[in-house]
Amino acid sequence: MKRVLMIAFHFPPVAMGSGHLRTLGFVRYLPARGWEPTVLSANAAAFPRVDAENLKLIPDDCRVHRAFALDVRRHLSIRGKYPGFLAQPDGWASWWPAAVAQGLQLIHRHQISAIWSTYPIMTAHCIAHTLSRMTGLPWVADFRDPVVNSVEAGNRFSVSSQKRWEQRVLAHATRAAFTTPGAMRGYAEQYPQAFLDGRLVVIPNGYDETTFSDLPVTVDRQPRRALRLVHSGILYPEGRNPLPFFNALADLKAAGALSEEDVAIVLRASGSEAMYTEEIRRRGLDRMITLAPPIANREALNEQFDADALLLFQGRQYVRQIPAKVYEYLRIGRPIFALVGEDGDTAAWLR
């Protein structure tokens, strides 16, 4: 069996979004394809949030190693401010030196045959680039989503650094993988040589059936007057903006077409509760919309399963992406109300 070194920042016990699930899927199923994975991640202190329960998701036979890393925003800032050059290419650049040193040891100790790294933490690609150049090993750069949609626009140092690294990765990676056809087409336009060389591929996201193994096949929904709608996951002004939805609800309420007795909306773990609380209050939707705190993944799946319908928000600038939650929603099997760009990959997939 061949061995692959997988470099991924988002890996259990991290507790943020669904980014770690893609890596876990590879870790779980690569052995059946003849590849034994060894994971190189960051120490838990670098993660914004951790959940020890997530460690149970890692297969028992998977080797996981962690290199020293700091979060520049939390560990090196003064009153929330820090020099922009410290976040090149991102706020976890401190992970790079220790991960390269540890990666070299792992490559020699375990006779690694290939390197794999995953975005949206560009430092993971930097580590893989360095290791590939030093060892000559083939390298798969899993971009997932376009860099332009992931980098923090407020830090000009980070923006310019990530664009430079994007060019280096596309020039040197043996393969660059994307999660949607639209994302790959966009990169084929920017980097035609990489496309002509056959180095751009699509590996879509999906869901892992084992995650849903003990969910009920059906649910005994008690009669309820209000239609229960659920959105599970992060919301933000650029890209997953629920304000047009809030406006529509407010208009329907003002016209007498909708009331608090008709619909109950749960926005679970939005990450922007302070901002949206004010927007909801200003529109008089306090009794219609609940901003709920994060819960364990299993509880979130049960909540989605019990909903009458699921909500999805995606701005036009993200039309070349498909949120990972879409596959989770599809597996749950509830109706989906999607406010998305009509010509994008998400709309096409839902159709």
Side-chain angles (χ1 to χ4, degrees):
M1 183 175 287
K2 295 182 180 180
R3 292 169 176 167
V4 57
L5 179 64
M6 307 191 72
I7 302 166
F9 181 84
H10 294 122
F11 201 73
V14 71
M16 52 182 298
S18 56
H20 63 289
L21 297 178
R22 180 172 172 88
T23 304
L24 278 169
F26 280 113
V27 165
R28 190 171 287 125
Y29 294 107
L30 275 174
R33 299 287 182 172
W35 287 89
E36 179 183 313
T38 294
V39 176
L40 177 56
S41 188
N43 55 271
F47 301 147
R49 296 199 319 272
V50 298
D51 182 354
E53 285 294 306
N54 281 350
L55 290 170
K56 298 177 182 177
L57 300 173
I58 303 174
D60 293 337
D61 57 351
C62 177
R63 289 188 295 262
V64 181
H65 301 267
R66 305 185 187 279
F68 172 81
L70 296 173
D71 177 348
V72 64
R73 189 184 302 276
R74 289 187 296 121
H75 299 130
L76 299 177
S77 65
I78 299 175
R79 296 180 181 176
K81 298 185 180 297
Y82 57 89
F85 67 84
L86 291 178
Q88 293 190 61
D90 52 50
W92 295 273
S94 58
W95 181 34
W96 191 351
V100 167
Q102 193 164 350
L104 286 172
Q105 294 177 9
L106 294 172
I107 286 169
H108 295 302
R109 184 189 312 158
H110 299 296
Q111 298 181 307
I112 298 295
S113 300
I115 299 168
W116 178 95
S117 58
T118 188
Y119 198 62
I121 303 301
M122 182 63 82
T123 297
H125 285 338
C126 298
I127 296 164
H129 176 272
T130 304
L131 290 172
S132 178
R133 300 283 280 190
M134 293 176 72
T135 63
L137 289 174
W139 164 35
V140 178
D142 187 32
F143 269 101
R144 291 155 53 166
D145 297 323
V147 169
V148 67
N149 292 338
S150 302
V151 64
E152 184 181 351
N155 186 337
R156 60 185 179 87
F157 291 99
S158 185
V159 171
S160 59
S161 177
Q162 293 217 24
K163 288 303 294 181
R164 289 194 302 272
W165 271 103
E166 177 187 82
Q167 295 167 5
R168 291 188 187 113
V169 173
L170 268 295
H172 296 293
T174 311
R175 293 287 187 277
F178 305 91
T179 59
T180 66
M184 193 187 83
R185 284 196 301 271
Y187 274 82
E189 294 167 3
Q190 294 181 67
Y191 303 97
Q193 191 58 54
F195 175 72
L196 292 173
D197 292 342
R199 294 190 291 112
L200 307 185
V201 298
V202 174
I203 305 178
N205 279 318
Y207 64 82
D208 188 340
E209 186 60 34
T210 59
T211 305
F212 302 84
S213 59
D214 58 352
L215 284 179
V217 177
T218 60
V219 63
D220 182 19
R221 292 184 177 82
Q222 300 300 316
R224 53 194 181 202
R225 176 70 175 86
L227 189 72
R228 185 175 176 82
L229 308 179
V230 172
H231 179 277
S232 189
I234 295 174
L235 296 169
Y236 38 83
E238 303 85 16
R240 292 181 187 170
N241 186 7
L243 295 187
F245 178 65
F246 293 172
N247 292 336
L249 291 173
D251 289 345
L252 288 168
K253 182 182 177 184
L258 198 66
S259 73
E260 290 87 351
E261 288 73 36
D262 298 319
V263 64
I265 298 160
V266 177
L267 304 181
R268 174 69 66 183
S270 74
S272 301
E273 284 78 8
M275 177 178 64
Y276 292 129
T277 294
E278 174 59 25
E279 297 292 347
I280 290 168
R281 185 200 61 77
R282 193 162 58 83
R283 290 167 175 81
L285 301 174
D286 312 59
R287 296 175 55 201
M288 193 178 291
I289 301 175
T290 300
L291 292 168
I295 54 178
N297 184 250
R298 172 64 47 187
E299 295 175 69
L301 293 177
N302 278 307
E303 180 178 56
Q304 294 171 37
F305 195 74
D306 187 51
D308 294 302
L310 302 170
L311 298 171
L312 186 70
F313 305 106
Q314 187 181 40
R316 291 185 179 276
Q317 65 268 49
Y318 294 100
V319 294
R320 289 177 169 174
Q321 297 176 215
I322 300 178
K325 77 170 76 276
V326 168
Y327 301 90
E328 189 174 89
Y329 278 9
L330 291 171
R331 173 57 181 83
I332 290 291
R334 308 307 301 145
I336 300 172
F337 290 128
L339 188 62
V340 301
E342 61 184 350
D343 299 322
D345 284 15
T346 298
W349 193 250
L350 290 175
R351 289 190 191 105

